[in-house]
């Protein structure tokens, strides 16, 4: 508890003498109350005021939980995605930098397709069994990879976050909000 903040909540600009830095009952007992507007609050009154000041409402708890889901959704997007090429599954990074690189490379691939450039190849690094592998994509193949990254992967992450957010918004008790978990990885 912060005695000074609790006192200020009870009586704005309260006048008293002594240190409340330790925030203990003994420290409060030693304070000399100088304010004539009200009697010196009891320790119980200070404690109750502090509880009131620091207890979050259901809506505040929901907003905090939703912010946590939003953060984990963003982290899930940035974590990257798995994409199968033939019978091999590769992991591709999707950091903010990767997203920009995907956009630029997809634009190049699209322009190559528009110009009828059948020789276009895009090198891209994927990970298989924990090891990096440089892959070579045609324009069509790379557009498919970029579309999966930007559409399927990102939208799946967002949709799963929205579903959890909806559960949180529909909860009617603090206990119900606290029981909602985000098990996505």
């Amino acid at each position: 508890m912060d005695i000074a903040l609790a006192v200020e909540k009870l009586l704005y600009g309260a006048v008293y003498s002594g240190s409340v830095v330790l925030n203990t009952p003994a420290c409060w007992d030693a304070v000399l109350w100088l304010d004539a507007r009200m009697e010196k609050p009891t320790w119980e009154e200070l404690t109750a005021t502090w509880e009131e000041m620091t207890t979050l409402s259901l809506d505040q708890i929901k907003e905090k939980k939703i912010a946590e889901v939003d953060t984990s959704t963003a982290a899930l997007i940035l974590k990257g995605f798995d994409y199968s090429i033939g019978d091999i599954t590769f992991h591709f990074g999707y950091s903010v930098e990767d997203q920009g690189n995907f956009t630029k490379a997809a634009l190049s691939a699209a322009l190559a397709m528009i110009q009828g450039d059948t020789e276009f190849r895009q090198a891209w690094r994927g990970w298989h069994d924990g090891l990096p592998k440089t892959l070579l994509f045609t324009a069509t193949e790379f557009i498919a990879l970029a579309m999966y990254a930007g559409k399927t992967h990102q939208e799946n992450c967002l949709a799963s976050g929205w579903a959890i957010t909806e559960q949180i918004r529909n909860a009617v008790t603090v206990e119900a909000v606290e029981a909602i978990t985000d098990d996505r990885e």
Side-chain angles (χ1 to χ4, degrees):
M1 173 169 68
D2 187 320
I3 291 175
L5 289 176
V7 169
E8 193 69 14
K9 174 77 173 172
L10 282 171
L11 183 63
Y12 179 75
V15 181
Y16 55 93
S17 176
S19 175
V20 293
V21 174
L22 296 178
N23 294 309
T24 63
C27 144
W28 180 243
D29 288 342
V31 163
L32 177 60
W33 189 258
L34 302 171
D35 204 307
R37 294 177 290 169
M38 70 180 278
E39 290 184 25
K40 180 180 178 181
T42 65
W43 181 254
E44 291 73 25
E45 289 171 321
L46 290 176
T47 303
T49 300
W50 182 252
E51 275 295 314
E52 179 184 308
M53 292 171 62
T54 57
T55 301
L56 298 177
S57 70
L58 176 60
D59 286 341
Q60 290 170 319
I61 291 169
K62 285 181 177 184
E63 289 308 313
K64 183 178 180 226
K65 185 96 169 189
I66 289 168
E68 292 169 3
V69 170
D70 290 347
T71 299
S72 68
T73 298
L76 193 59
I77 291 168
L78 295 174
K79 187 176 172 182
F81 59 93
D82 292 336
Y83 184 82
S84 294
I85 300 170
D87 58 350
I88 301 173
T89 300
F90 292 91
H91 182 79
F92 292 91
Y94 206 58
S95 67
V96 172
E97 182 180 356
D98 291 331
Q99 291 176 44
N101 290 338
F102 263 110
T103 301
K104 291 179 219 169
L107 178 60
S108 294
L111 292 172
M113 289 173 67
I114 290 168
Q115 294 173 347
D117 181 355
T118 58
E119 301 299 314
F120 177 90
R121 297 293 180 267
Q122 177 64 56
W124 207 261
R125 179 164 288 172
W127 295 79
H128 177 67
D129 289 337
L131 298 172
K133 178 161 175 66
T134 301
L135 304 163
L136 204 55
F137 294 93
T138 65
T140 303
E141 292 167 339
F142 191 78
I143 293 285
L145 174 65
M147 285 295 294
Y148 183 86
K151 190 107 173 97
T152 306
H153 165 64
Q154 193 160 339
E155 285 185 4
N156 286 346
C157 293
L158 291 170
S160 64
W162 293 334
I164 297 168
T165 295
E166 188 66 23
Q167 288 177 343
I168 294 166
R169 290 196 193 288
N170 290 331
V172 294
T173 65
V174 170
E175 294 77 18
V177 172
E178 290 171 349
I180 297 168
T181 58
D182 183 353
D183 299 331
R184 301 171 301 157
E185 290 189 24

